[in-house]
Amino acid sequence: MERGYSAIVIDHFRNPRNVGELADANAQASVTNPVCGDVLKLTLKIVEGHIADAQFKTLGCEAAIAASSLLTEMIKGKGLLEAQAITPEMITTALGGLPKVKLHASALVEEGLQRALDEYARRR
């Protein structure tokens, strides 16, 4: 594993939470980082304006997997407006920081979240 990762990143990479795809998802998004090729599929179950459940599938580097795992934990139980306010910087901070060359991981998962929420809003 690359040097410079926090204990939080290492933990989420080695023991990712919420891996998979929700069968009853009512919001989802797939995003790809064109530079590094990381791919994220995020599925959400939204109930009464809150994210009741979230799962992900990520093909990518350690940072992308860790950021995906952490994001699902961050958003569970949050209201839609609170989830929409999440920024890549908030994800990076919650991960205990990322090496500069891996900051794209936080941007990728934030983009996936915003696209899933946008898709949900369009369908309502």
Side-chain angles (χ1 to χ4, degrees):
M1 212 168 184
E2 190 174 318
R3 288 178 167 226
Y5 285 130
S6 71
I8 298 166
V9 172
I10 293 167
D11 180 45
H12 276 274
F13 172 69
R14 290 186 178 155
N15 306 293
R17 284 67 147 182
N18 307 304
V19 175
E21 193 171 330
L22 293 171
D24 62 345
N26 55 5
Q28 66 178 11
S30 294
V31 291
T32 302
N33 180 319
V35 176
C36 68
D38 291 348
V39 178
L40 162 69
K41 180 171 187 179
L42 180 67
T43 55
L44 307 175
K45 177 66 175 176
I46 299 171
V47 178
E48 297 179 7
H50 288 80
I51 299 172
D53 202 0
Q55 288 192 345
F56 77 94
K57 287 184 176 180
T58 297
L59 296 173
C61 67
E62 298 95 339
I65 292 167
S68 300
S69 172
L70 181 115
L71 176 75
T72 61
E73 288 198 323
M74 282 179 76
I75 63 176
K76 281 186 178 185
K78 291 218 184 317
L80 297 182
L81 291 177
E82 193 177 2
Q84 284 176 324
I86 292 174
T87 65
E89 294 77 20
M90 292 166 75
I91 296 163
T92 299
T93 299
L95 285 167
L98 286 171
K100 194 171 238 178
V101 298
K102 295 295 182 178
L103 291 174
H104 66 273
S106 294
L108 178 77
V109 300
E110 183 271 342
E111 179 184 356
L113 173 62
Q114 298 308 326
R115 284 196 187 176
L117 294 174
D118 289 347
E119 186 242 358
Y120 177 78
R122 272 195 311 274
R123 290 191 1 225
R124 290 194 72 216

